[in-house]
Amino acid sequence: MALDRNVVAAGHQATALFWEQGSQQIEAFGRKVTTTASHLMGPLGDPSSNAHYQHAMSGLHKELRRPGIQQRVFSYAKASPTELVRSKLSTSEIQHRALTFLPDDILRNLPENDNVYSLFQGFQATIPEVAEEDDEHKSKGHHRLPSENLKLLERGDQGPNEPPSLNKLRRDRDKANHRLEMMSIRKNMCSVEIHEIDNKIFNLNSMRKIVLERLGDIEQDELQAEQSLLELDHQIEEMVEDIDDATALDKPVTPPTELDPEDPASDHEVQIMNESFMSASIYNKLPSPRSSRRQKPARRKSIPIRHEHFEPGSNIREFQAHNDMITALDFDVPFGTMVTSALDDTVRVWDLNLGRCIGLLEGHHASVRCLQVEDSIVATGSMDASIRLWDLSKADYAPRENRFTKGDQDAEEDNVDDQPPPPHPSSMQDCPLFSLEAHVDEVTALHFRGDTLVSGSADKTLRQWDLVKGRCVQTLDVLWAAAQASATMNSSDGLWRATGRLPDVSADFVGALQCFDAALACGTADGMVRLWDLRSGQVHRSLVGHTGPVTCVQFDDVHLVTGSLDRSIRNSIIDWVPGTQIWDLRTGSIYDAYAYDNPITSMVFDSRRIVAAAGENVVKIYDKSDGRHWDCGAGLVAEADGQRPAIVEKVSIKDGFLTEGRKDGVVGVWVG
């Protein structure tokens, strides 16, 4: 009992001591808190008068005087943020965070997790292919003896009262269900893969459009660079000629001998000069030797290739070019410069890359019926019986002015229906070169190559022009030459003949022609295609086959293709004899012919295709490489919308770049 009392008394003393010490610590902590609060919240006075403040500051100074503390503070002040991060993180952790970091742009494009099956199920779905191979091997007789353990497992799965056949059927059913589930997973995987491929195709098509636009900008910059190079070449030539002229003026010049008015020989020479072939109207319009210096045609060194990356039959551009029927159109190169004429008595020049009108060629007093564009030179034949030549390289036009920046893109989208700005009235004032006037009726066909131009007119004549001197050097009477050819060849092939159809009042006497050096091919209203020798002015050969007026003629080194109002296109094979410069037909027969439902009003071919306007709202195309006929134009696109575009009147194609003009004045640009 005494021992128990001592134990209890010791316990009470320990408890009292614990509470006494705890109360002392609590009182000390309370004093510190009270002193700190009174110092922070009390009146602003001298902190040095407070003993607790002085005690705290002395303790802080002691700590700061320690070398270790000073070294750590100094190193912390000199450390960069990168070193601070490295001091807190290990190298492996930094590398892991750098490799696993994903920017917000990538995280924003993450696909939604809408898959029905998990990744493990998709992986498991590929395993049955091995199981199927094992089944096939078993079916072929490659049996594997089951082990004793497998037999015991099969017996364990079997019920006490179930026959072995029922258990086998259940296992087969489970296998079939599992196989069906795996097939469903694989089918879903194929569907997801197809969607991913579609998304990739869409993204690739978007990238393709961007690259095509970039290619178009490069081709425009290339054209600008070629024009700048051409201007520099012309400036160099002019400077060289000026230097040569200055050198020639420094040399003594022998004065010309004056004609004696009393000398009869001089009177005869004056009479010959007055009766020269050149008319007074042409002579007065000839430029002086100094002003006759005209620039050479700007032949492009580069070839545009952007249209080759479009699908055949794709529409590039379509715009309202005129207010009446298109009578003629031609262009120099794909995405280059196009010239169109119509019955609204206007001739317009277009930038095919921007679909913008550059300007108007003004000078004719009536509608232009035919024209040709060769490099930068344009020849136009009009119903006023005149021919005019123009140099488009002198046009005042800046293609870059029509482009808009990204800042103006929103304003441009708001004005989608607005037409391009009209051309400046004086943009083409420096383009006219000279006029050729000798025909007495409208000019219906022309073709020029080099310094020679041949024109055909309703006055039943063909005229050959020298573009250097600006005068007519030969006149060919079609009826007289045809009669002479028939008399020479003792046949009636060259005679003017009836076509077997009622005369068409709208058919031109000279429907089309093309020249090459001394060779000339001409199609006329009697359905004949005559080959002329311009040196002798006589018909060399006549092609018989068409039963209606010939409206279009074109030839190259091998083929001569003609189109007629008899609704057919005929193709002949011809040989060019280099030594004599005479066209020589192999057999004189027709090589091939294509029949259409309507008259042929226009036909052009390039190295691969023959395109024709055959009285429909589509362009008829024949691919010479594979012999395929197909249609291209607005008529195919408008059938789905219930619209009926106007009939195509004129076509032109170069290197697969196709332009077509319609009766309502609309011009379409396509990939042929």
Side-chain angles (χ1 to χ4, degrees):
M1 294 294 291
L3 181 60
D4 294 337
R5 293 192 192 97
N6 294 333
V7 172
V8 172
H12 285 295
Q13 291 178 359
T15 304
L17 180 61
F18 174 79
W19 284 108
E20 182 179 0
Q21 292 178 355
S23 61
Q24 292 176 358
Q25 293 177 358
I26 292 174
E27 289 176 0
F29 179 76
R31 285 196 300 271
K32 291 181 180 180
V33 172
T34 303
T35 303
T36 304
S38 63
H39 177 70
L40 295 175
M41 302 176 61
L44 297 175
D46 187 8
S48 60
S49 61
N50 194 335
H52 295 282
Y53 177 79
Q54 293 179 357
H55 179 70
M57 292 301 297
S58 61
L60 181 62
H61 285 299
K62 290 180 181 179
E63 291 292 333
L64 291 177
R65 280 196 294 269
R66 292 181 180 180
I69 296 296
Q70 293 179 358
Q71 185 177 3
R72 285 198 295 270
V73 171
F74 181 73
S75 62
Y76 181 79
K78 292 181 61 178
S80 62
T82 305
E83 294 175 350
L84 293 177
V85 173
R86 289 178 178 175
S87 63
K88 297 296 181 181
L89 302 175
S90 62
T91 304
S92 60
E93 187 174 1
I94 293 174
Q95 293 177 352
H96 173 73
R97 293 191 179 189
L99 294 175
T100 57
F101 172 74
L102 294 176
D104 296 336
D105 296 337
I106 298 179
L107 295 176
R108 196 179 299 113
N109 296 327
L110 285 178
E112 297 181 359
N113 188 14
D114 54 354
N115 293 327
V116 181
Y117 302 99
S118 64
L119 180 62
F120 177 75
Q121 289 176 323
F123 174 75
Q124 190 180 11
T126 59
I127 300 178
E129 297 178 357
V130 181
E132 292 174 359
E133 293 178 359
D134 293 339
D135 294 340
E136 292 178 358
H137 285 293
K138 290 179 181 179
S139 62
K140 293 180 180 179
H142 301 282
H143 298 285
R144 186 180 301 172
L145 296 177
S147 62
E148 295 294 334
N149 295 331
L150 184 60
K151 292 180 179 180
L152 293 175
L153 289 174
E154 292 179 354
R155 292 174 183 174
D157 294 338
Q158 181 179 352
N161 299 324
E162 293 179 356
S165 59
L166 179 60
N167 188 23
K168 183 177 182 303
L169 290 176
R170 287 181 176 176
R171 289 199 307 270
D172 293 343
R173 183 190 62 183
D174 295 339
K175 290 180 181 179
N177 288 331
H178 177 73
R179 184 180 180 185
L180 183 62
E181 183 181 0
M182 294 298 103
M183 288 182 178
S184 177
I185 295 175
R186 280 185 281 178
K187 184 174 69 174
N188 182 74
M189 293 171 60
C190 293
S191 177
V192 171
E193 189 173 358
I194 290 174
H195 286 300
E196 292 179 355
I197 293 174
D198 292 338
N199 293 332
K200 291 179 181 179
I201 292 174
F202 176 78
N203 295 332
L204 289 175
N205 287 331
S206 301
M207 295 177 60
R208 189 175 188 273
K209 292 180 180 179
I210 295 174
V211 176
L212 279 177
E213 294 178 357
R214 192 188 310 162
L215 178 60
D217 295 338
I218 293 175
E219 289 183 351
Q220 282 297 110
D221 296 338
E222 192 177 42
L223 178 60
Q224 295 292 329
E226 288 189 7
Q227 291 178 352
S228 301
L229 180 62
L230 183 66
E231 292 178 358
L232 293 175
D233 291 339
H234 290 160
Q235 292 177 4
I236 293 174
E237 291 178 1
E238 291 179 357
M239 187 171 294
V240 170
E241 290 182 2
D242 292 339
I243 295 174
D244 294 340
D245 294 343
T247 305
L249 291 175
D250 294 340
K251 296 180 180 179
V253 180
T254 304
T257 58
E258 297 182 356
L259 296 177
D260 188 1
E262 298 181 356
D263 189 1
S266 62
D267 294 338
H268 180 67
E269 293 177 1
V270 172
Q271 184 178 1
I272 292 176
M273 292 177 60
N274 293 333
E275 294 177 356
S276 63
F277 181 80
M278 192 186 313
S279 63
S281 60
I282 297 295
Y283 184 80
N284 292 332
K285 294 183 180 181
L286 283 178
S288 61
R290 181 65 178 173
S291 62
S292 62
R293 179 194 300 168
R294 66 182 176 94
Q295 299 177 354
K296 296 181 180 180
R299 183 175 296 276
R300 290 195 61 173
K301 299 180 180 179
S302 60
I303 300 176
I305 59 173
R306 184 175 19 153
H307 64 284
E308 297 178 359
H309 301 281
F310 289 92
E311 290 293 331
S314 302
N315 178 250
I316 299 177
R317 181 170 282 107
E318 188 174 290
F319 51 90
Q320 185 74 38
H322 295 271
N323 299 323
D324 209 333
M325 184 180 73
I326 303 293
T327 58
L329 60 84
D330 195 11
F331 63 94
D332 53 358
V333 292
F335 295 102
T337 304
M338 179 179 66
V339 182
T340 61
S341 63
L343 292 180
D344 57 4
D345 298 343
T346 60
V347 181
R348 296 179 180 270
V349 184
W350 300 88
D351 183 351
L352 287 176
N353 186 59
L354 300 176
R356 176 182 176 183
C357 182
I358 301 175
L360 280 75
L361 300 179
E362 299 176 339
H364 287 291
H365 303 293
S367 298
V368 169
R369 294 291 312 279
C370 53
L371 62 87
Q372 181 186 349
V373 179
E374 191 70 24
D375 296 329
S376 63
I377 304 300
V378 180
T380 56
S382 172
M383 298 176 68
D384 62 3
S386 67
I387 301 170
R388 290 182 177 270
L389 273 81
W390 321 77
D391 187 358
L392 298 183
S393 64
K394 299 180 180 179
D396 184 11
Y397 172 64
R400 298 285 181 179
E401 293 179 358
N402 195 35
R403 298 192 175 183
F404 55 88
T405 59
K406 293 182 178 179
D408 301 334
Q409 187 171 1
D410 297 335
E412 186 73 15
E413 292 177 355
D414 296 337
N415 300 326
V416 175
D417 297 334
D418 293 346
Q419 296 294 330
H424 197 274
S426 60
S427 60
M428 297 289 168
Q429 63 180 3
D430 298 332
C431 292
L433 294 177
F434 50 83
S435 176
L436 305 175
E437 299 176 0
H439 286 292
V440 295
D441 206 339
E442 61 177 299
V443 179
T444 58
L446 63 82
H447 186 268
F448 72 92
R449 185 180 180 89
D451 295 332
T452 300
L453 185 146
V454 180
S455 60
S457 171
D459 60 7
K460 299 180 177 57
T461 62
L462 303 175
R463 291 184 180 268
Q464 180 183 357
W465 305 83
D466 187 347
L467 298 182
V468 177
K469 300 178 180 179
R471 66 177 186 177
C472 178
V473 297
Q474 185 175 197
T475 302
L476 305 175
D477 190 319
V478 178
L479 296 179
W480 181 84
Q484 291 294 321
S486 63
T488 303
M489 293 183 292
N490 295 323
S491 65
S492 60
D493 291 345
L495 288 175
W496 188 266
R497 63 188 185 91
T499 60
R501 295 176 176 267
L502 294 176
D504 190 353
V505 294
S506 62
D508 298 322
F509 183 85
V510 179
L513 57 86
Q514 181 182 347
C515 63
F516 181 82
D517 292 338
L520 170 66
C522 174
T524 51
D526 63 343
M528 299 281 288
V529 178
R530 295 177 174 85
L531 304 181
W532 300 71
D533 183 1
L534 293 179
R535 298 172 300 177
S536 62
Q538 295 181 357
V539 177
H540 175 67
R541 192 68 181 262
S542 298
L543 301 180
V544 181
H546 285 294
T547 59
V550 178
T551 56
C552 34
V553 172
Q554 184 180 351
F555 62 81
D556 57 8
D557 296 339
V558 179
H559 298 88
L560 186 146
V561 185
T562 60
S564 171
L565 295 182
D566 63 0
R567 301 178 297 180
S568 69
I569 293 177
R570 300 176 184 269
N571 186 4
S572 302
I573 294 183
I574 49 181
D575 279 340
W576 175 257
V577 183
T580 59
Q581 294 185 347
I582 298 296
W583 292 102
D584 181 21
L585 283 88
R586 294 179 178 177
T587 61
S589 60
I590 298 173
Y591 172 73
D592 202 353
Y594 319 108
Y596 295 94
D597 298 332
N598 299 289
I600 307 298
T601 58
S602 179
M603 183 278 306
V604 184
F605 71 86
D606 60 4
S607 59
R608 180 175 177 179
R609 305 163 188 85
I610 299 176
V611 299
E616 300 183 18
N617 54 13
V618 294
V619 179
K620 299 293 184 178
I621 300 179
Y622 172 70
D623 197 324
K624 296 185 292 185
S625 60
D626 56 7
R628 181 171 62 97
H629 291 266
W630 56 287
D631 298 339
C632 174
L636 298 177
V637 181
E639 286 181 357
D641 301 336
Q643 301 177 357
R644 294 186 61 86
I647 294 176
V648 178
E649 278 292 319
K650 299 295 178 180
V651 294
S652 181
I653 188 171
K654 291 180 182 178
D655 298 327
F657 190 85
L658 171 66
T659 59
E660 45 95 5
R662 307 170 197 165
K663 280 191 173 181
D664 59 355
V666 176
V667 172
V669 183
W670 307 81
V671 177

